[in-house]
Amino acid sequence: MARVRRLPGVYAAGVLIRRRIPCSAVWLAIVFSLCIYAGSFIPHLVAAEFWVSHRTLIPLFAVFSFWIIALFSSEAQCLPEQRIAASLAVVFLFANGLLMKDIFSNHLAMEEQDTAYAKAINNYIADYSEKNGDKITHVALAWDEQVTLSYDGINYVSYDLNTRNILRSWSNVPLINYANHTDYQKADMDPDVWEEFFAGKNWDSFLPEEQIVFRNHTAYIAIY
């Protein structure tokens, strides 16, 4: 009779059954796996914003490691399930390594474009200050109607992965300061300025004449 192919989780269950592990232990392993999955998302659910940071989702892969360890914990050696699990683990690590390399190269390209964008913003501010003798000390930023999450040519964009640093409230002004060695202070967007110059507008590229307005030593910027 031909052998029926089974999923890795079924292989693990098969080894546990061969070793005559009590059903309570098997259910405990299943519940533990589900808790790992659910626990990975809890920090995002209780946060003010559901913004998934991929570095906090690492425990998701712990489930696969857990079942592989369960397979190799068998006293019997070289079971078919163990050989298959080892092969799948090697393939997964190799494929994941290639994917991480591609993601990282895209991330570096995204950061280069973010830096160029931050420098372009500061160049326009510096030019205004030089021409008008008005030293800009504060920067206020807000998104346009349909903000662009990343740049052209950047792949693997989702939630916190390869999204523009200029979009994040905790990194937008620091990015400008870091890229230009400046010391701008963060300010809130003036509702009157927003309504007069930015409300209902959407851009697909950086147009400083339309996206930056100066008032009272502050640069109000609409991020495209």
Side-chain angles (χ1 to χ4, degrees):
M1 183 176 180
R3 179 188 293 265
V4 179
R5 293 190 176 184
R6 295 170 287 178
L7 296 174
V10 179
Y11 283 122
V15 173
L16 294 175
I17 293 172
R18 288 186 186 189
R19 297 180 60 194
R20 297 182 180 178
I21 300 297
C23 290
S24 59
V26 176
W27 280 110
L28 180 62
I30 295 174
V31 171
F32 181 72
S33 301
L34 294 176
C35 287
I36 294 176
Y37 264 95
S40 302
F41 294 97
I42 289 177
H44 307 287
L45 295 175
V46 300
E49 298 178 358
F50 189 77
W51 184 282
V52 177
S53 176
H54 290 73
R55 62 182 175 273
T56 65
L57 299 180
I58 292 176
L60 291 177
F61 297 97
V63 176
F64 299 99
S65 301
F66 170 71
W67 283 106
I68 291 174
I69 291 172
L71 282 170
F72 281 90
S73 66
S74 173
E75 294 178 359
Q77 301 298 315
C78 296
L79 291 175
E81 290 85 354
Q82 291 176 327
R83 292 194 294 270
I84 293 175
S87 301
L88 290 176
V90 171
V91 172
F92 174 79
L93 288 175
F94 180 74
N96 197 48
L98 294 178
L99 181 62
M100 289 176 63
K101 177 180 178 297
D102 200 16
I103 291 174
F104 186 64
S105 64
N106 276 262
H107 186 76
L108 291 178
M110 183 274 300
E111 289 194 339
E112 288 181 0
Q113 296 188 62
D114 246 348
T115 300
Y117 184 28
K119 289 183 176 180
I121 289 175
N122 184 67
N123 289 340
Y124 189 78
I125 294 175
D127 185 61
Y128 169 84
S129 297
E130 182 178 352
K131 290 180 179 179
N132 297 275
D134 181 13
K135 181 175 176 57
I136 301 301
T137 58
H138 290 73
V139 172
L141 303 98
W143 299 358
D144 67 9
E145 289 299 310
Q146 294 182 338
V147 71
T148 303
L149 290 179
S150 193
Y151 300 97
D152 291 339
I154 303 300
N155 300 317
Y156 310 104
V157 180
S158 64
Y159 290 105
D160 199 36
L161 181 64
N162 287 342
T163 55
R164 301 160 66 197
N165 293 307
I166 198 73
L167 300 182
R168 303 186 181 100
S169 59
W170 61 89
S171 64
N172 46 22
V173 175
L175 168 64
I176 296 174
N177 287 331
Y178 179 80
N180 298 283
H181 307 288
T182 52
D183 190 28
Y184 297 119
Q185 301 300 307
K186 189 172 184 177
D188 295 328
M189 175 62 66
D190 188 317
D192 294 333
V193 172
W194 178 263
E195 286 297 325
E196 182 178 354
F197 296 98
F198 306 134
K201 295 183 179 179
N202 182 61
W203 295 275
D204 296 321
S205 60
F206 180 51
L207 301 174
E209 297 83 1
E210 300 178 12
Q211 298 165 358
I212 302 180
V213 174
F214 301 99
R215 291 286 188 279
N216 301 321
H217 308 294
T218 301
Y220 295 97
I221 307 172
I223 302 299
Y224 73 90

